[in-house]
Amino acid sequence: MTEFAPRYLKDYSAPEYQINTVNLEVALNDSATLVTNSMSIQRMVTTNVPLVLDGEHMVLKSVAINGAELSSDDYQVTDSALTIFPNAEQFELTIITELNPSANTALEGLYKSGEAYCTQCEAEGFRRISYFLDRPDVMAIYTTKVIADKSQYPYLLANGNKIDAGELDDDKHFVTWHDPFPKPCYLFALVAGNFDLLTSNYTTRSGRQVALELFVDKGNLSRAEHAMTSLIKSMQWDEQVFDLEYDLDIYMIVAVDFFNMGAMENKGLNVFNSKYVLADDLSATDEDFFNIEAVIAHEYFHNWTGNRVTCRDWFQLSLKEGLTVFRDQQFSGDMNSAAVTRIKNVRTLRSLQFAEDAGPMAHPIRPEKVVEMNNFYTMTVYEKGAEVIRMMHTILGKEGFKAGIDLYFDRHDGQAVTCDDFVAAMSDASNVDLSTFKNWYSQSGTPSLIVTDSFDQSNNQYQISVKQVHPQAHDKQQKQNLHIPINLELLATEAINAEGSTKANVVNELLHLKETEQTWTFSNIDKQPIPVLLGNFSAPVKLEFDYTDEQLLAIMVNASDAFNRWDAGQKLFARYIEMLVNDEATEVPQQVYDAIADILNSGADEALKAEQLTLPSFDEMADSLDKVNADKLANALSRLKINIAAKLTDVLFATYQQCSSTEFAKDGKAIGKRALKNVCLNYLASAKEFDSVVIGQFNNSNNMTDQLAAIKAAALNDLPCFEQVMASFEQQWQDDTLVMDKWFSVNALHNHPDVINRVTKLLSHPKFSLDNPNRARSLIGAFAFSNGKYFHQHDGQGYQFLADQIAKLNTINPQVASRILTPLIQYKSFAKEHQQQMLTQLQRLNDMPNLCRDLQEKLTATLN
Ligand code: B3K
Ligand code: ZN
């Protein structure tokens, strides 16, 4: 088997050639697209060196230098590169290649999504379109002429502004686009198809008129409005918060059904997974609407953080992704509830990123070694990367952070730069030393903070000591101290028992932990306070402090920070889940139930209450427990849920009814009420007598949030109505691709011993196909990622099912295969009895011939 060679950050060297302009002519054809690529190339080093261009999965038709065609003796071509030997400092290179887009199921480079052509070049897809220096520090100005059949492909799109268009023979036409901004080839895009078009316009703060164009499949126009509104909000927000304006005369978004990820920020021409564009009240949930707004914003924000200033090399990916995720999180917080948005982000981090950071693919937010770049679009680079940016925001303050951003753009607009450049701008603008902080970029693993405290009544002094501990990770890295910002609040204890008292905080400040261990002393403290740490989750770490139940209950009510109030409740839940794992007869004390009832009866915001009532996820618990038996964990989770439902049936049902409304609205209040109502429904549905309530909600719902919540409650609680509501849902939505993805997922969540059979049968459902990533993820991904109980069932059938599908995806779509391998490679978090079964499947995959690079990198990391 070929071992694919890794690349290392330490080996970076500047390109020997630059490509200044690119003139592309793309004549589209399903199996034989012809690409003529004329580049003006400049040598950057003094001596003559060969020019090695990346290229794969295409046929080389011809190569010419300054118009003179080379004979095949004058160049070398392999299955991954074309080497030529130019004898000049400056020259024109013209390369003609032939591509087969209809055979491209990997969805990288040029491919077909349904009837349309589209491209995906990040990270290294341009090399499937033409031979090129496929690296982000080679930035060129592109002119792209697209040619295709006129009636089948009335819209021909590429980056930049339209500069020419016309008719050709044989019912063909062409459109030529010019992008004045130099860009790396990963931002190149081309689309051709027959779409419905939603247009709008936007005038930037400095008066630029921008045409906004959103292309969707025929018949979907009514579902495009929310995406357009979200785009306009994003443009306004970036002007208001960061003084960043859009820079071209047109901004286009195309929604396609076949897409490996969420969306892609190609300059002036974003390509989106239709899941993050299309929405209407009947077919999309509140969560879908939220996510669309966030992804539209994310891709728009990339225009500055990613496109105007890009990455020097792919090891710097977090330069653009961490920063852009931070920006979209701030935007979502401003458009919605900031506290609830933050809680959702933290949940994602704890359930998925912490596990990644503890597993065999653990890497720093700036990785040092990469085999397949597509494997590094990870929770760590994105979500932990955003946490690292957020910590700088916390350390420097809002104004300091903005000054740093301004300096970053002053220095680097139009350049391809590094994470070090970003931190230097942040540090220089405020004159703050970030040298210890920078270790966050090079260190993997989730740190723990071990906290102890003491109170001296004789002199009214309170002391708190915090120690940073770094797990020995899979990568065996030498660990260094980090600069960890810790928001601390000291709650006065007397306030806690006093009837009706609120928020009696005595101290609220930001601690900077930089040493292995530091102690802070507070004077004039009357009584032993309760330390409340990591307000707003000020650092992506785990906290170890011996809180009593009473202290957690006090924090849940009295902490001034909503995240801390929520988190105290999660800690309390996690404590009893863990006890239930160890002893299923554990009695949960009455005061825990009382606290939940108090939350439900309080006047707090419903969206926050919904988060407070949601138990920690299976994944989050699995990460915090050692060598977990999945069955025991799933049972502990369901026991706690059933107990809460049984003890609090009345108040849960009362809340359910109060939050139910016959009228559909989409403001924050209405969304919060739906969230709370559906959390209550899921608790209630753990008792079979609520079957009829679930059926009632299913039949009467006038929106997808409620309808989906009903079938999910039926699935998760294995209610008698399950088959009936699922059949009726399928009947209603069979022709709707995005809604059918939801249906496939709910099938995979069924809390029933026969679920693997069900999922296996669905592989032959007429609407199922492994070729469509959304569909593959909706069934196989949902099962492996979200049905912990049966994915880990003791006979290993869940693992085998997943491995069987990955084996097929290995040749169809390596990126999708590699992503859904995740739950298997984290085998070490599970108990011995699971590990062996998981390893058997990992080994079986590893033994496959023709293992794709993506899978091979992960399997090698896992098995070695
Ligand atoms: N930059 C793209 C991700 C590309 C992934 C390539 N495998 C989407 C985003 O983060 O905005
Ligand atoms: Zn991004």
Side-chain angles (χ1 to χ4, degrees):
M1 179 174 67
T2 6
E3 275 287 344
F4 297 101
R7 288 172 280 172
Y8 295 90
L9 168 59
K10 63 175 166 48
D11 293 341
Y12 174 83
S13 65
E16 291 168 325
Y17 287 90
Q18 273 292 345
I19 302 173
N20 295 321
T21 62
V22 176
N23 261 283
L24 285 170
E25 185 184 291
V26 182
L28 292 167
N29 175 285
D30 272 5
S31 57
T33 289
L34 269 193
V35 178
T36 306
N37 172 13
S38 303
M39 299 163 271
S40 72
I41 300 186
Q42 194 177 356
R43 196 177 70 213
M44 307 304 286
V45 291
T46 46
T47 53
N48 237 332
V49 287
L51 169 60
V52 185
L53 299 167
D54 308 294
E56 54 194 36
H57 296 101
M58 56 197 175
V59 183
L60 178 62
K61 295 299 225 185
S62 72
V63 188
I65 293 185
N66 295 329
E69 189 165 335
L70 303 189
S71 92
S72 58
D73 301 337
D74 298 335
Y75 57 81
Q76 291 162 4
V77 63
T78 67
D79 58 9
S80 63
L82 165 66
T83 306
I84 60 168
F85 306 89
N87 226 331
E89 237 171 85
Q90 193 121 24
F91 56 96
E92 289 287 317
L93 178 65
T94 303
I95 295 175
I96 301 181
T97 50
E98 186 187 289
L99 327 178
N100 185 352
S102 59
N104 182 354
T105 56
L107 315 185
E108 265 192 290
L110 176 72
Y111 66 91
K112 289 210 82 178
S113 171
E115 293 308 307
Y117 289 99
C118 64
T119 56
Q120 171 56 37
C121 293
E122 189 178 0
E124 297 175 328
F126 194 79
R127 64 184 64 186
R128 294 171 182 236
I129 294 173
S130 185
Y131 288 93
F132 206 74
L133 291 174
D134 192 353
R135 46 187 288 169
D137 56 355
V138 170
M139 296 168 81
I141 293 183
Y142 286 69
T143 305
T144 309
K145 179 174 178 179
V146 191
I147 303 169
D149 182 90
K150 185 163 184 174
S151 52
Q152 255 186 299
Y153 306 101
Y155 291 106
L156 305 177
L157 315 173
N159 316 84
N161 300 312
K162 192 188 276 194
I163 54 166
D164 195 12
E167 313 274 315
L168 299 166
D169 292 346
D170 302 331
D171 290 325
K172 293 206 157 86
H173 69 147
F174 76 92
V175 179
T176 307
W177 296 81
H178 177 76
D179 178 2
F181 291 96
K183 62 167 178 283
C185 63
Y186 83 84
L187 290 172
F188 170 80
L190 175 159
V191 170
N194 189 4
F195 301 103
D196 274 346
L197 172 59
L198 178 65
T199 59
S200 185
N201 53 71
Y202 183 79
T203 308
T204 67
R205 205 160 57 174
S206 64
R208 177 189 290 275
Q209 300 279 327
V210 185
L212 308 178
E213 302 193 340
L214 214 167
F215 298 85
V216 297
D217 275 355
K218 287 265 169 209
N220 281 329
L221 208 52
S222 63
R223 292 185 178 187
E225 204 63 55
H226 176 67
M228 184 62 91
T229 312
S230 302
L231 174 60
I232 293 169
K233 284 185 186 170
S234 311
M235 297 177 91
Q236 280 162 347
W237 187 88
D238 222 12
E239 291 182 355
Q240 281 158 12
V241 178
F242 285 109
D243 293 319
L244 296 172
E245 289 186 26
Y246 188 59
D247 53 11
L248 284 166
D249 303 329
I250 184 166
Y251 192 92
M252 296 176 281
I253 293 176
V254 184
V256 300
D257 284 341
F258 284 66
F259 205 67
N260 278 345
M261 321 134 312
M264 179 61 212
E265 71 264 23
N266 316 298
K267 184 80 187 185
L269 175 56
N270 289 181
V271 179
F272 266 65
N273 188 326
S274 54
K275 171 180 161 71
Y276 294 109
V277 172
L278 302 176
D280 61 27
D281 299 343
L282 286 179
S283 69
T285 61
D286 294 330
E287 193 186 340
D288 292 327
F289 278 93
F290 179 97
N291 290 339
I292 289 169
E293 186 181 78
V295 179
I296 292 269
H298 180 97
E299 306 311 329
Y300 174 71
F301 296 157
H302 266 316
N303 189 54
W304 278 94
T305 50
N307 302 3
R308 286 288 285 259
V309 181
T310 194
C311 302
R312 184 192 72 174
D313 54 76
W314 287 122
F315 299 100
Q316 318 293 331
L317 180 61
S318 201
L319 172 79
K320 74 177 178 82
E321 295 306 346
L323 178 55
T324 306
V325 171
F326 171 72
R327 275 151 53 65
D328 83 54
Q329 290 179 349
Q330 294 295 87
F331 167 77
S332 295
D334 285 351
M335 298 298 120
N336 306 280
S337 152
V340 172
T341 302
R342 185 69 188 130
I343 288 167
K344 287 186 201 294
N345 297 155
V346 175
R347 255 195 223 287
T348 307
L349 197 78
R350 283 183 176 162
S351 341
L352 303 170
Q353 196 280 325
F354 281 15
E356 181 171 274
D357 230 347
M361 282 296 285
H363 52 278
I365 63 165
R366 181 184 55 210
E368 275 147 24
K369 171 188 170 192
V370 164
V371 175
E372 169 51 59
M373 191 54 215
N374 286 325
N375 279 339
F376 288 83
Y377 289 77
T378 57
M379 282 287 150
T380 299
V381 166
Y382 276 64
E383 307 300 322
K384 187 177 180 182
E387 294 299 318
V388 170
I389 302 289
R390 179 179 296 278
M391 286 189 283
M392 279 188 263
H393 188 268
T394 304
I395 291 168
L396 302 169
K398 198 172 158 202
E399 279 76 34
F401 186 83
K402 171 66 165 57
I405 288 281
D406 290 347
L407 185 58
Y408 174 66
F409 288 120
D410 280 352
R411 284 181 179 172
H412 300 300
D413 187 12
Q415 298 175 7
V417 304
T418 63
C419 298
D420 286 342
D421 293 321
F422 181 82
V423 179
M426 283 290 154
S427 154
D428 292 349
S430 297
N431 207 7
V432 171
D433 176 14
L434 294 174
S435 48
T436 307
F437 183 82
K438 268 172 77 168
N439 292 336
W440 281 104
Y441 280 90
S442 49
Q443 191 153 304
S444 67
T446 308
S448 288
L449 301 182
I450 319 274
V451 179
T452 51
D453 70 346
S454 66
F455 178 62
D456 186 346
Q457 185 76 71
S458 66
N459 59 5
N460 288 3
Q461 273 196 352
Y462 175 75
Q463 281 200 327
I464 187 161
S465 299
V466 187
K467 184 174 167 187
Q468 48 176 309
V469 177
H470 301 279
Q472 196 40 259
H474 198 269
D475 54 13
K476 306 222 167 51
Q477 234 186 8
Q478 190 66 33
K479 299 298 174 182
Q480 286 175 300
N481 281 334
L482 302 174
H483 176 175
I484 302 176
I486 305 168
N487 276 324
L488 171 72
E489 177 178 33
L490 295 183
L491 277 186
T493 33
E494 75 264 38
I496 292 153
N497 302 319
E499 235 5 76
S501 68
T502 51
K503 294 182 200 155
N505 48 309
V506 289
V507 165
N508 224 323
E509 72 175 63
L510 181 64
L511 312 180
H512 294 269
L513 177 67
K514 296 183 182 180
E515 315 292 328
T516 305
E517 183 161 15
Q518 276 169 246
T519 300
W520 289 267
T521 305
F522 299 90
S523 312
N524 301 320
I525 306 284
D526 294 340
K527 290 237 170 74
Q528 167 104 32
I530 305 171
V532 183
L533 294 116
L534 295 172
N536 204 34
F537 202 50
S538 61
V541 299
K542 297 181 183 178
L543 182 69
E544 292 182 29
F545 180 79
D546 264 331
Y547 287 112
T548 61
D549 281 8
E550 287 69 26
Q551 286 177 318
L552 289 173
L553 290 163
I555 297 172
M556 281 171 74
V557 180
N558 292 311
S560 60
D561 179 276
F563 163 80
N564 281 141
R565 295 198 298 276
W566 168 80
D567 195 37
Q570 296 291 298
K571 284 197 167 76
L572 200 59
F573 288 144
R575 170 173 297 177
Y576 284 99
I577 294 165
E578 183 170 356
M579 288 165 75
L580 284 161
V581 168
N582 297 328
D583 173 9
E584 56 183 51
T586 302
E587 284 280 337
V588 178
Q590 183 59 34
Q591 55 183 5
V592 174
Y593 300 115
D594 292 345
I596 301 171
D598 287 347
I599 291 170
L600 285 169
N601 291 323
S602 77
D605 158 47
E606 283 87 2
L608 185 59
K609 288 188 191 178
E611 294 300 334
Q612 287 178 296
L613 249 71
T614 303
L615 300 179
S617 67
F618 182 94
D619 288 343
E620 220 177 306
M621 289 307 303
D623 178 65
S624 70
L625 301 172
D626 200 34
K627 309 273 176 242
V628 61
N629 174 305
D631 226 28
K632 286 189 178 162
L633 174 54
N635 287 337
L637 277 161
S638 82
R639 194 167 291 265
L640 180 58
K641 175 177 152 188
I642 290 170
N643 287 350
I644 292 172
K647 287 263 185 191
L648 300 174
T649 312
D650 292 349
V651 59
L652 285 166
F653 192 54
T655 309
Y656 174 78
Q657 286 179 313
Q658 278 155 24
C659 291
S660 300
S661 154
T662 44
E663 235 130 90
F664 180 73
K666 245 181 358 215
D667 53 284
K669 182 84 186 160
I671 292 171
K673 281 185 155 184
R674 268 193 296 280
L676 181 56
K677 155 188 161 181
N678 287 320
V679 170
C680 292
L681 181 70
N682 187 30
Y683 274 108
L684 292 166
S686 61
K688 300 277 177 272
E689 57 268 31
F690 280 90
D691 197 57
S692 59
V693 175
V694 172
I695 298 175
Q697 173 161 328
F698 179 80
N699 289 335
N700 299 324
S701 66
N702 55 4
N703 64 84
M704 184 48 72
T705 305
D706 286 343
Q707 200 182 11
L708 186 67
I711 60 170
K712 257 194 193 165
L716 294 173
N717 301 288
D718 187 28
L719 290 180
C721 70
F722 175 68
E723 298 294 350
Q724 171 202 331
V725 292
M726 287 299 276
S728 141
F729 189 96
E730 183 189 10
Q731 175 69 26
Q732 183 184 352
W733 293 108
Q734 54 187 324
D735 296 321
D736 190 302
T737 311
L738 292 174
V739 181
M740 281 304 281
D741 284 337
K742 301 182 194 300
W743 181 81
F744 277 104
S745 292
V746 176
N747 274 287
L749 297 182
H750 193 199
N751 184 2
H752 190 281
D754 195 42
V755 65
I756 295 178
N757 255 331
R758 169 181 287 274
V759 175
T760 306
K761 276 194 199 126
L762 285 171
L763 295 172
S764 345
H765 188 284
K767 295 265 147 90
F768 186 81
S769 154
L770 278 180
D771 289 349
N772 181 317
N774 285 359
R775 196 46 52 91
R777 284 185 289 247
S778 73
L779 186 65
I780 302 158
F783 173 69
F785 280 88
S786 308
N787 195 339
K789 181 168 175 185
Y790 292 106
F791 173 63
H792 293 284
Q793 79 180 34
H794 59 86
D795 59 7
Q797 272 195 51
Y799 308 141
Q800 187 177 343
F801 169 80
L802 179 63
D804 288 347
Q805 306 320 311
I806 291 173
K808 293 184 232 165
L809 284 163
N810 173 56
T811 42
I812 300 174
N813 189 327
Q815 279 186 58
V816 173
S818 178
R819 209 151 266 253
I820 61 174
L821 180 68
T822 304
L824 266 182
I825 67 174
Q826 289 162 356
Y827 75 96
K828 279 201 175 140
S829 323
F830 292 90
K832 275 259 155 346
E833 56 272 27
H834 297 295
Q835 288 196 11
Q836 203 39 55
Q837 310 256 28
M838 295 171 98
L839 277 168
T840 304
Q841 297 307 323
L842 288 163
Q843 198 57 58
R844 179 162 81 90
L845 287 172
N846 199 47
D847 292 342
M848 266 180 0
N850 302 323
L851 199 56
C852 62
R853 177 199 295 268
D854 313 54
L855 285 175
Q856 195 186 81
E857 177 173 32
K858 289 191 177 177
L859 288 166
T860 305
T862 309
L863 295 169
N864 283 355

